[in-house]
Amino acid sequence: MDDTTRLTNDQSIKLFIQRDYSEGTAVKFQERFPTELEGRIDRNEFTGIISEINAIFADAEALSCKTFMENCCACLTGYLLLLCMPTHYEKCVKRAAKYIAEKNENVLNHRGIFMVDPMEKGLRCIEVCIANTRR
Amino acid sequence: MVRKWEIIESKNRFYCDGRCLTGRNIGVFILALVLIIVTSGLFFAFDCPYLANRLHPAIPVFAAIIFLTVICFIFRTACSDPGILPRGTSDEILYLERSNVSNSPQSVALPGRTIEVQMSSGHVIQLKFCSTCKIFRPPRVSHCSLCDACIANFDHHCPWVGNCVGLRNYRYFYLFLFSLSILCAYIFAFNITHVVLRAQEKPSFIDAIRDTPATVVEAIICFFSIWSIVGLWGYHTYLICRSITTNEDIKNTWNASRPGMTMKNPYSKGHSCLNYFSILCGPLPPSFLNLRAIVKPDDHINMTRNAMMNTNNAQDLIRYQHEENRRTNNNRVYTTMTHPYSERKQNSYPPRDYV
């Protein structure tokens, strides 16, 4: 019962930017501009943030020599190597979280927007909260 | 201090304070473990001394290495998160109900709606709504009723390992099958060698067997298991080269040809070797669950109505969230921007335990 008032009260709106599965199961978020953000933030700026997040995750999931060597070495040590150092994917996830935090602080919060790290939701969607909507 | 693994809704069991998780029924897993350990134990106790003396001392050394590899991989498969997707929160469900995210009309309740995705390869995939997890299932995700969770890249639920096999532990499962096949073949081969060598020294074959009854026991176990293990390994090699999961193979997703269109697997990279290496050595995401995060007992932040009216930006809201939960009976106005613990994580990214 509590939760229904969260979205319907005048103070805030939550919207969820869904995943874009058109290119397979790779992590990619839809780069369309939600109508609820109209007037709050420049269209290109917002989609630019989403594309940068997509680029970070594309880098995480890329099949490079580095990932290949990392996984081979990990396998040879019986995966004990993974206990000692973070993988490339984990580093990218941290990079994305840092990027979102930095964008929140510099750009989004001033306009009453708050973006949540998609890793909280299991990379299913990016949660965007909008404060103090028009009455 | 409550950690997320203590309140999560699924049928998994958690160990080591949220560092390991298995499925609900681990009886068959214990049986598999006992079989492997007992057979290898008998091999080391009864065959190795004779073979080390008679043939070469490296024989038990290799056996030990393979045995340790098998144990390492079976525990890695059994105790790691297969790729469980976290369930949808109530905010998400409300948003999905109201928005036009899916291709079905708004009058249809969520469980009846589907999302159609037009892939760049030309396929049209239908994403269904999972009533238990309250999410639209992404492609290749399936709900396992034994674990009661949606698993990414769901392959199958393996009772021998006591866990689902999915995105995050498929390579460990495959390497477990591979190393176990080698161990089985190794033990079987050296059992035969042992009995044959002894038979050369003794007057009759039966005497040789009477000297080492354990060898016969091991040989029988290995003989019966080798067919299924090697068979399963070969089957999974075939699946990997085609880049399809067991689930898709059973449902014949990519074989069914429609009139005028043959379904080519959109997830395949074209070449078998490329598929093989990308699945076994490709990048692996960390666990989506973050089981060891500390959860506040309450999700809602209470704020006074007055304070809320005056906020123009999210900064104030974020500041409010750092306050302790104050549940007053009178001023129960709450609007959370986000869960408090996740907001904290946003600012100072505490180390996540990657299981």
Side-chain angles (χ1 to χ4, degrees):
Chain A
M1 217 222 49
D2 298 344
D3 301 306
T4 52
T5 62
R6 281 207 233 171
L7 279 187
T8 56
N9 75 31
D10 289 329
Q11 274 83 8
S12 69
I13 280 185
K14 279 198 194 191
L15 53 97
F16 298 88
I17 297 177
Q18 304 291 319
R19 282 270 294 271
D20 177 12
Y21 294 114
S22 59
E23 279 162 42
T25 47
V27 179
K28 188 169 182 246
F29 295 97
Q30 289 179 351
E31 285 176 25
R32 58 173 196 89
F33 187 71
T35 46
E36 291 94 337
L37 288 175
E38 206 75 56
R40 288 214 169 224
I41 188 172
D42 179 38
R43 183 178 278 258
N44 290 333
E45 207 175 343
F46 188 76
T47 43
I49 296 176
I50 306 285
S51 5
E52 181 61 34
I53 297 173
N54 282 342
I56 296 176
F57 279 109
D59 177 33
E61 300 214 336
L63 261 187
S64 62
C65 271
K66 188 180 167 204
T67 359
F68 184 73
M69 287 311 299
E70 195 181 59
N71 279 297
C72 276
C73 292
C75 180
L76 289 171
T77 60
Y79 291 101
L80 295 173
L81 194 68
L82 296 183
L83 298 172
C84 307
M85 50 166 261
T87 64
H88 177 64
Y89 206 112
E90 289 166 8
K91 288 185 200 152
C92 286
V93 164
K94 282 194 190 141
R95 194 153 51 106
K98 237 174 74 177
Y99 175 76
I100 291 175
E102 181 223 319
K103 281 290 170 190
N104 266 335
E105 216 177 286
N106 296 342
V107 176
L108 298 172
N109 286 350
H110 302 312
R111 305 174 202 217
I113 306 173
F114 186 73
M115 193 184 269
V116 180
D117 184 12
M119 200 65 199
E120 303 288 333
K121 299 265 172 221
L123 294 181
R124 283 187 290 106
C125 53
I126 302 178
E127 187 178 330
V128 177
C129 311
I130 308 171
N132 202 28
T133 53
R134 292 166 260 132
R135 311 285 177 79
Chain B
M1 194 170 70
V2 176
R3 292 198 189 257
K4 201 164 166 201
W5 64 266
E6 297 175 59
I7 59 163
I8 203 168
E9 305 155 318
S10 72
K11 286 188 189 164
N12 294 95
R13 289 175 192 260
F14 300 93
Y15 303 100
C16 299
D17 197 21
R19 290 184 181 89
C20 310
L21 63 83
T22 66
R24 180 153 216 97
N25 296 324
I26 54 172
V28 186
F29 168 58
I30 305 280
L31 173 70
L33 213 55
V34 162
L35 265 175
I36 294 171
I37 292 177
V38 162
T39 314
S40 308
L42 289 175
F43 181 72
F44 286 123
F46 293 100
D47 295 290
C48 282
Y50 182 82
L51 288 167
N53 280 333
R54 184 72 197 270
L55 286 178
H56 201 281
I59 294 172
V61 174
F62 280 130
I65 293 173
I66 302 172
F67 171 70
L68 286 172
T69 316
V70 169
I71 296 296
C72 168
F73 284 136
I74 196 178
F75 274 108
R76 193 87 198 182
T77 314
C79 298
S80 60
D81 176 4
I84 298 175
L85 294 179
R87 296 194 177 186
T89 54
S90 27
D91 294 329
E92 274 183 79
I93 301 167
L94 268 170
Y95 175 77
L96 290 173
E97 270 178 356
R98 287 149 187 254
S99 73
N100 54 354
V101 162
S102 75
N103 297 73
S104 316
Q106 289 245 295
S107 53
V108 180
L110 268 182
R113 297 194 208 167
T114 56
I115 297 180
E116 279 181 13
V117 178
Q118 172 79 37
M119 295 187 74
S120 52
S121 57
H123 294 96
V124 175
I125 294 187
Q126 293 251 351
L127 306 184
K128 300 202 183 93
F129 187 76
C130 179
S131 317
T132 322
C133 300
K134 307 274 191 288
I135 57 170
F136 278 98
R137 265 184 233 132
R140 292 195 130 178
V141 167
S142 193
H143 187 93
C144 174
S145 47
L146 290 161
C147 299
D148 201 26
C150 275
I151 315 277
N153 273 36
F154 179 73
D155 195 84
H156 65 285
H157 183 101
C158 185
W160 295 101
V161 154
N163 201 1
C164 276
V165 176
L167 170 72
R168 295 187 71 250
N169 62 356
Y170 187 58
R171 62 189 65 181
Y172 309 133
F173 177 70
Y174 179 78
L175 290 170
F176 159 65
L177 286 178
F178 183 60
S179 49
L180 190 60
S181 321
I182 295 183
L183 184 70
C184 254
Y186 192 91
I187 291 182
F188 189 64
F190 280 106
N191 281 340
I192 305 290
T193 317
H194 183 192
V195 172
V196 164
L197 287 174
R198 274 204 195 255
Q200 287 171 350
E201 294 164 6
K202 294 291 165 117
S204 80
F205 198 68
I206 306 292
D207 286 334
I209 293 179
R210 214 175 286 147
D211 271 344
T212 56
T215 312
V216 179
V217 171
E218 294 162 43
I220 294 173
I221 296 176
C222 285
F223 180 75
F224 284 115
S225 23
I226 212 168
W227 301 110
S228 35
I229 295 170
V230 174
L232 196 57
W233 170 72
Y235 175 61
H236 277 281
T237 311
Y238 161 75
L239 287 181
I240 288 181
C241 289
R242 279 190 62 193
S243 188
I244 58 177
T245 62
T246 309
N247 200 30
E248 286 167 355
D249 191 48
I250 288 175
K251 294 183 182 164
N252 230 357
T253 318
W254 306 116
N255 254 351
S257 51
R258 312 258 164 85
M261 182 171 93
T262 46
M263 302 276 270
K264 201 168 85 70
N265 183 6
Y267 309 113
S268 168
K269 293 184 166 54
H271 201 244
S272 305
C273 284
L274 204 54
N275 284 339
Y276 192 80
F277 286 116
S278 84
I279 289 182
L280 291 187
C281 300
L284 200 64
S287 171
F288 301 126
L289 294 177
N290 197 21
L291 293 167
R292 288 177 46 79
I294 297 167
V295 182
K296 289 198 81 131
D298 196 57
D299 265 353
H300 308 300
I301 297 289
N302 295 320
M303 294 190 282
T304 61
R305 197 180 274 278
N306 290 335
M308 205 42 244
M309 299 277 211
N310 294 332
T311 48
N312 277 339
N313 56 30
Q315 289 287 11
D316 294 336
L317 277 161
I318 296 164
R319 228 186 320 120
Y320 279 119
Q321 293 183 23
H322 285 297
E323 291 175 351
E324 299 287 286
N325 277 350
R326 287 168 291 138
R327 219 176 244 297
T328 61
N329 291 330
N330 305 329
N331 298 7
R332 268 194 64 150
V333 178
Y334 30 74
T335 165
T336 60
M337 296 296 279
T338 179
H339 304 294
Y341 82 91
S342 69
E343 205 288 318
R344 287 207 182 99
K345 277 159 64 69
Q346 202 71 21
N347 286 336
S348 62
Y349 204 95
R352 294 168 62 107
D353 283 331
Y354 297 99
V355 172

